[in-house]
């Protein structure tokens, strides 16, 4: 869960920076890239409670994408997708929909 914790920290930082940027008009972090192996993708998807099973091992160049969206002033959500040559939304394990709150991501990261 160390990588998921780091991702959650970046998500939290991006949200906090965006809220303060509106006051200061400063440029904030826009993109972070981590490189990993298929075993890391397997463990991260399991930590997100969306494990790959059976023969669904990640093919070469698969990736997880975490994105922060602002729906209204100071209201943010996170969307997680997995790409194995096709995009798949990683569903929120609590609701089954495509939106995650920062609190839910932090909870799964064990913070």
């Amino acid at each position: 869960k160390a990588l998921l914790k780091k991702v959650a920290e970046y998500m939290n930082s991006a949200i906090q920076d965006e809220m303060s940027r509106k006051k200061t008009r400063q440029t904030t972090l826009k993109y972070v890239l981590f490189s990993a192996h298929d075993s890391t993708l397997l463990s991260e998807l399991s930590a997100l409670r969306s494990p790959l099973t059976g023969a669904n091992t990640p093919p070469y160049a698969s990736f997880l994408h975490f994105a922060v969206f602002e729906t209204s002033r100071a209201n943010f959500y996170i969307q997680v997708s997995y790409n194995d040559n096709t995009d798949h939304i990683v569903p929120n394990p609590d609701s089954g929909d495509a939106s995650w709150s920062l609190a839910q991501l932090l909870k799964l990261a064990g913070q």
Side-chain angles (χ1 to χ4, degrees):
K1 291 190 178 182
L3 181 57
L4 187 56
K5 285 181 183 180
K6 184 52 80 178
V7 169
E9 287 173 16
Y10 277 118
M11 296 287 112
N12 186 35
S13 177
I15 289 169
Q16 297 305 315
D17 287 351
E18 183 61 24
M19 290 191 314
S20 66
R21 183 190 68 78
K22 291 180 178 185
K23 296 174 189 168
T24 62
R25 300 284 184 216
Q26 293 179 336
T27 303
T28 60
L29 176 70
K30 298 293 182 191
Y31 193 82
V32 176
L33 176 67
F34 292 98
S35 179
H37 293 279
D38 56 349
S39 58
T40 305
L41 289 174
L42 289 169
S43 65
E44 292 308 304
L45 285 164
S46 291
L48 293 168
R49 290 200 248 152
S50 190
L52 295 178
T53 57
N56 292 335
T57 57
Y60 183 74
S62 296
F63 60 88
L64 280 172
H65 183 255
F66 295 81
V68 177
F69 296 93
E70 184 175 16
T71 57
S72 62
R73 183 174 158 85
N75 190 14
F76 298 87
Y77 72 92
I78 297 168
Q79 187 175 59
V80 183
S81 61
Y82 165 67
N83 186 295
D84 60 358
N85 299 323
T86 303
D87 255 344
H88 309 277
I89 296 297
V90 177
N92 178 327
D94 295 334
S95 64
D97 65 10
S99 298
W100 296 66
S101 70
L102 178 61
Q104 291 166 320
L105 191 62
L106 289 169
K107 180 181 174 185
L108 288 179
Q111 292 184 341

